[in-house]
Amino acid sequence: MAISHVHPMFLLILSLFVLPTLLAIPFNDCGWGDYPIKVTGVEVFEEQNKASLNITGFTNKVITGGFLLLEVNIGIKKIIDNIYELSELITGPVSPGPIVLPLHKLFPYSTEEKMRVSISVNDPDHEQIMCLYFYYDTSSTGVVFT
């Protein structure tokens, strides 16, 4: 009896589309406008017992500099309020197209408390070009897609 290779290949391709949605954690833009950086996904991963992030997306604007604001709250308590120069995170200028913003070793990876993570990016003129937030706890680790 001949074994068809079509059925296993179909299952593999289907899993590439279904599994990310099963791991998906909703994230939202801040809703204050149509930002030049459109975020398509947030990856949360462990790095030496700390949570790290990769924010992926597309930009329709040349990015020559600016800064990223990171705020992490547990309830009403702010545990992180950091500012990063974009030049520390990415090499610039960045042409319109795909973009990845990496943030490494931010806060404890294993937590039972739900954290609200807010991230915004401003250009050198202080114009907001990206803003998003999501909730994080150990049970929500994975890839976040829109």
Side-chain angles (χ1 to χ4, degrees), residues 9 23 25 30 44 54-55 57 59 65 71 76 82 84 95 97 101 104 111 119-120 127-128 136-137 140 143 146:
M9 184 60 73
L23 295 173
I25 307 163
C30 297
V44 180
N54 279 333
I55 302 165
T59 177
E71 184 177 297
I76 61 170
N82 292 344
Y84 301 90
S95 299
L101 299 170
H104 297 285
T111 179
I119 301 169
S120 65
E127 178 187 340
Q128 192 170 59
Y136 168 83
D137 62 28
S140 64
V143 181
T146 60

Side-chain angles (χ1 to χ4, degrees), residues 116-130:
R116 184 179 195 273
V117 180
S118 304
I119 301 169
S120 65
V121 176
N122 292 15
D123 68 12
D125 298 324
H126 299 276
E127 178 187 340
Q128 192 170 59
I129 58 175
M130 183 198 92

Side-chain angles (χ1 to χ4, degrees), residues 4-19:
S4 171
H5 294 291
V6 175
H7 186 53
M9 184 60 73
F10 174 74
L11 290 175
L12 176 64
I13 292 171
L14 182 63
S15 71
L16 292 174
F17 294 102
V18 174
L19 288 178

Side-chain angles (χ1 to χ4, degrees), residues 52-81:
S52 294
L53 307 173
N54 279 333
I55 302 165
T56 57
F58 292 89
T59 177
N60 62 13
K61 175 181 181 175
V62 174
I63 300 171
T64 58
F67 52 94
L68 181 142
L69 304 164
L70 170 72
E71 184 177 297
V72 180
N73 293 4
I74 297 176
I76 61 170
K77 182 181 177 186
K78 190 179 295 186
I79 63 167
I80 296 175
D81 189 11

